[in-house]
Amino acid sequence: MSELSNKEIVKKFKETEYGKKTNKCLCISTFIFFLMFIVIGAFAVLAEPMRIEGFTKDIVSLILNLILYISAIFMVYFDGKRNGAIEQYKLSRK
């Protein structure tokens, strides 16, 4: 939604204290999501030739996937929070 907003308003919002905070949280959650995506990919490639027993490999894979899903939920949450805050900022400026 912020992509549809006026770029000037988004820039002014990012300069506010709350804008910096929400943008920072969104950047951190996005970084963690992509980091976990890379870790899961590396684990999938490296776990097969390694002699990891099936039960242990399944548990590690389950835990990594759970962390990936949770980080995706946080990423979407902070994106929505930032977009809602931008909309509120636009309304308060009128």
Side-chain angles (χ1 to χ4, degrees):
M1 290 293 288
S2 67
E3 294 82 22
L4 301 176
S5 299
N6 187 352
K7 301 297 181 194
E8 181 181 313
I9 292 175
V10 174
K11 184 178 178 182
K12 287 181 181 178
F13 172 74
K14 286 182 180 181
E15 293 172 355
T16 65
E17 183 178 336
Y18 189 68
K20 290 177 186 177
K21 182 180 176 183
T22 56
N23 202 38
K24 179 182 174 185
C25 291
L26 177 63
C27 290
I28 290 171
S29 62
T30 304
F31 174 76
I32 291 172
F33 173 77
F34 284 114
L35 179 68
M36 289 309 302
F37 191 75
I38 291 170
V39 167
I40 288 173
F43 179 76
V45 170
L46 297 175
E48 194 61 39
M50 294 171 57
R51 296 190 181 253
I52 297 176
E53 294 179 22
F55 183 70
T56 305
K57 187 169 94 172
D58 291 341
I59 289 176
V60 171
S61 177
L62 178 69
I63 290 170
L64 289 175
N65 282 325
L66 185 63
I67 292 171
L68 178 71
Y69 294 142
I70 290 171
S71 64
I73 289 170
F74 275 107
M75 184 177 65
V76 170
Y77 170 76
F78 285 120
D79 184 47
K81 186 172 183 172
R82 184 189 65 170
N83 291 339
I86 289 172
E87 291 299 315
Q88 286 292 73
Y89 183 75
K90 284 194 312 190
L91 292 175
S92 68
R93 290 184 47 92
K94 290 184 178 182

